[in-house]
């Protein structure tokens, strides 16, 4: 088997983790040959000082180096990532990437490019850090029996919710810690407003159901407006609030997907998924539920997933996207009834949101809430209303609850 000479693009938290992990992994038969960074002059930590002679500021040098036979790309910027990844694939150089934004936005084109050039492009690290969710969905769950993939896909927001919910920390302090610990994106809005989980869900859906849905067409709602009132309400019901992403088959022909805070009761697997951990429930017709759990963010956990893809490249593994060519694929829909809790102060939520049924209503001098049934398409249409500062919405699960 060939020896891999890696051109590493990006040397932040994850890039440095990869440098350390590849250095330790004797059976990978791989070495970091060159490293491209945006700021070559920047001082790096002592434990990666040996990497300094490999550093350049120009990624074209990596692509032009005849020795380099694999690009590992772990930068933040999705536009630069797109440029580097597509250039490498067009040159016939295999790529491993962790850039979920870039992948989720460009996956159809990247799939075509892989097919056209016959070059592998692997990205398990883009979704759920150390959990091997993509390759499992692609290979093991390659049949029609999948009903649902649901879980906690963002480590930072889960860390924040755990600190706020279980330890009584202030939201801002918890967010700061998530940044300091290297879990959060450089713009943490991506984590806390649900974008990061959305991008992962888009990638997961391609490998779970063989369908690409544009990120712009999916409802997301983040955790930034959670209040003590919501936390107390959940505690009274012995539930936790988690940011949950889900893709669910609602019939043979149709599936839906969204990212929302959700009330999670004690008997659910994801109830115990705390801190920066991720947890993914895969549900199928014959096996009910299976659960994957692991660290979803951080330097070494993400690097371990990159290492796994590097070793897979050495064995010439590539995704075949088999499910995309199935004839009977389910279609994406937002025409589905959800049950939600909506807390509000001045915005007149019961009058403005088109609930089909209200089962609970509470009013007080300060906080009010309703629990009711509403179509997901109506939530999307009323997005601006839900964005109001005094409003917070939480999903109350209603799919497959009889089978838990
Ligand atoms: N910011 C991401 C998270 C990193 O918190 O999950 C891993 O994708």
């Amino acid at each position: 088997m060939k020896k891999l000479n890696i051109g590493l693009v990006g040397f932040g938290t994850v890039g440095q983790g990869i440098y350390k992990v590849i250095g330790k992994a004797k059976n990978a038969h791989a070495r970091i040959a060159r490293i491209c960074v945006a700021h070559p002059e920047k001082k790096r930590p002592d434990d990666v000082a040996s990497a300094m002679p490999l550093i350049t500021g120009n990624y074209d040098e990596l692509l032009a180096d005849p020795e380099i036979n694999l690009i590992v790309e772990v930068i933040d910027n999705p536009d630069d990532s797109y440029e580097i990844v597509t250039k490498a694939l067009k040159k016939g150089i295999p790529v491993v990437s962790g850039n979920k934004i870039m992948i989720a936005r460009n996956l159809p084109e990247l799939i075509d490019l892989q097919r056209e050039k016959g070059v592998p492009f692997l990205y398990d690290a883009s979704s759920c850090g150390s959990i091997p969710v993509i390759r499992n969905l692609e290979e093991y769950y390659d049949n029609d029996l999948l009903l649902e993939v649901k879980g906690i896909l963002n480590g930072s927001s889960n860390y924040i919710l755990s600190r706020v919910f279980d330890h009584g920390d202030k939201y801002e302090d918890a967010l700061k810690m998530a940044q300091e610990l290297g879990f959060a994106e450089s713009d943490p809005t991506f984590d806390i407003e649900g974008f990061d989980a959305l991008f992962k869900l888009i990638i997961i859906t391609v490998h779970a159901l063989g369908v690409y849905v544009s990120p712009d067409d999916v409802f997301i709602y983040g955790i930034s407006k959670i209040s003590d009132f919501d936390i107390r309400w959940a505690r009274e019901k012995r539930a936790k609030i988690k940011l949950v992403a889900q893709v669910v088959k609602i019939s043979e022909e149709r599936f839906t997907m969204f990212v929302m805070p959700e009330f999670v009761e004690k008997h659910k697997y994801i109830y115990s998924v705390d801190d920066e951990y991720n947890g993914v429930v895969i549900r199928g017709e014959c096996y009910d539920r299976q659960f994957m759990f692991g660290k979803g963010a951080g330097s070494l956990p993400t690097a371990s997933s990159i290492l796994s893809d590097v070793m897979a490249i050495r064995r010439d593994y590539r995704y075949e996207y088999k499910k995309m060519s199935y004839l009977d694929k389910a279609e994406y829909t937002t025409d589905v009834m959800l049950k939600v809790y909506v807390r509000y102060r001045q915005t007149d939520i019961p009058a403005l949101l088109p609930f089909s049924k209200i089962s609970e209503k509470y009013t007080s001098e300060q906080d009010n809430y309703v629990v009711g049934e509403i179509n997901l398409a109506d939530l999307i249409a009323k997005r601006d209303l839900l964005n109001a500062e005094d409003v917070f919405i939480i999903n109350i699960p209603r799919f497959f609850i009889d089978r838990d």
Side-chain angles (χ1 to χ4, degrees):
M1 266 193 279
K2 63 189 170 215
K3 185 168 169 63
L4 294 174
N5 296 309
I6 298 172
L8 176 62
V9 186
F11 203 50
T13 308
V14 176
Q16 290 174 27
I18 294 167
Y19 182 73
K20 291 177 200 163
V21 165
I22 295 282
K24 274 193 200 165
K26 297 192 181 62
N27 288 307
H29 300 283
R31 70 177 184 104
I32 306 286
R34 299 295 301 275
I35 301 171
C36 176
V37 294
H39 305 287
E41 65 293 341
K42 194 165 141 187
K43 173 131 177 56
R44 310 282 158 177
D46 289 346
D47 58 353
V48 291
S50 58
M52 291 314 281
L54 307 177
I55 286 182
T56 168
N58 179 1
Y59 70 80
D60 280 325
E61 279 180 29
L62 274 55
L63 299 180
D65 185 335
E67 266 217 311
I68 288 179
N69 52 7
L70 173 63
I71 293 291
V72 172
E73 179 274 315
V74 284
I75 57 173
D76 246 7
N77 183 314
D79 299 329
D80 291 348
S81 161
Y82 173 82
E83 203 177 300
I84 294 163
V85 169
T86 51
K87 262 192 177 177
L89 292 174
K90 282 177 187 163
K91 281 198 81 174
I93 306 173
V95 179
V96 170
S97 169
N99 199 312
K100 57 238 150 177
I101 310 178
M102 188 284 284
I103 297 166
R105 283 191 187 146
N106 300 290
L107 199 43
E109 185 192 335
L110 292 167
I111 292 170
D112 286 348
L113 198 53
Q114 289 172 73
R115 289 193 174 131
E116 188 192 318
K117 298 287 172 188
V119 187
F121 173 50
L122 303 185
Y123 42 80
D124 221 313
S126 67
S127 304
C128 304
S130 64
I131 308 178
V133 65
I134 300 296
R135 217 180 311 158
N136 265 297
L137 286 168
E138 177 70 20
E139 301 300 336
Y140 187 81
Y141 299 93
D142 177 27
N143 52 43
D144 289 334
L145 305 175
L146 247 167
L147 296 173
E148 177 187 50
V149 182
K150 165 174 183 172
I152 295 167
L153 309 185
N154 179 262
S156 304
S157 57
N158 202 45
Y159 177 85
I160 294 166
L161 287 173
S162 297
R163 295 306 308 179
V164 170
F165 214 89
D166 299 334
H167 304 273
D169 288 3
K170 282 208 186 92
Y171 182 93
E172 290 71 27
D173 295 343
L175 169 59
K176 201 159 161 267
M177 276 304 285
Q179 287 177 291
E180 280 172 18
L181 289 165
F183 307 148
E185 302 298 304
S186 39
D187 176 0
T189 318
F190 272 92
D191 297 292
I192 59 184
E193 298 302 357
F195 293 100
D196 179 80
L198 165 68
F199 295 132
K200 292 167 180 169
L201 188 65
I202 298 289
I203 299 169
I204 282 173
T205 302
V206 165
H207 292 274
L209 300 179
V211 181
Y212 173 77
V213 179
S214 165
D216 298 335
D217 296 338
V218 180
F219 181 73
I220 63 169
Y221 200 82
I223 59 163
S224 61
K225 291 186 287 163
I226 193 170
S227 73
D228 289 344
F229 183 87
D230 309 316
I231 293 172
R232 268 201 309 279
W233 200 80
R235 281 212 184 105
E236 276 166 23
K237 311 268 182 225
R238 294 197 163 74
K240 287 184 184 174
I241 300 168
K242 301 276 190 193
L243 184 63
V244 177
Q246 52 203 300
V247 50
V248 190
K249 268 178 96 174
I250 52 170
S251 69
E252 279 294 312
E253 293 81 28
R254 297 187 314 154
F255 72 91
T256 193
M257 62 202 284
F258 51 90
V259 180
M260 270 170 90
E262 179 163 311
F263 286 114
V264 180
E265 293 178 287
K266 221 170 182 159
H267 61 279
K268 305 280 185 180
Y269 288 127
I270 56 173
Y271 181 90
S272 318
V273 177
D274 287 325
D275 302 323
E276 79 272 30
Y277 281 84
N278 284 186
V280 183
V281 176
I282 297 173
R283 190 185 299 272
E285 272 174 37
C286 302
Y287 46 82
D288 194 9
R289 290 175 299 167
Q290 297 184 350
F291 181 53
M292 298 173 86
F293 170 78
K295 285 203 171 177
S299 174
L300 295 179
T302 312
S304 75
S305 177
I306 296 274
L307 172 64
S308 172
D309 276 351
V310 166
M311 295 188 75
I313 292 271
R314 217 175 141 245
R315 294 190 304 272
D316 289 325
Y317 173 78
R318 65 190 57 190
Y319 305 133
E320 288 177 55
Y321 302 97
K322 297 179 276 282
K323 295 174 200 175
M324 292 192 107
S325 55
Y326 289 176
L327 290 180
D328 289 320
K329 282 180 296 192
E331 277 183 21
Y332 173 57
T333 182
T334 56
D335 182 12
V336 57
M337 290 307 282
L338 301 183
K339 185 174 179 185
V340 294
Y341 153 106
V342 190
R343 186 256 305 150
Y344 58 98
R345 283 195 175 171
Q346 59 275 16
T347 308
D348 190 359
I349 285 293
L352 297 169
L353 272 188
F355 286 101
S356 67
K357 188 171 143 192
I358 288 186
S359 51
E360 221 178 301
K361 196 167 169 187
Y362 168 87
T363 50
S364 72
E365 283 190 357
Q366 281 217 320
D367 290 296
N368 318 294
Y369 72 82
V370 282
V371 173
E373 289 177 24
I374 189 162
N375 198 290
L376 176 58
D378 288 327
L379 287 183
I380 293 172
K382 299 284 179 181
R383 180 78 244 190
D384 289 350
L385 200 64
L386 299 171
N387 283 347
E389 263 318 300
D390 63 313
V391 176
F392 189 62
I393 179 166
I394 306 179
N395 183 45
I396 302 178
R398 62 194 315 246
F399 303 119
F400 301 116
I401 41 176
D402 53 329
R403 295 179 57 187
D404 280 330

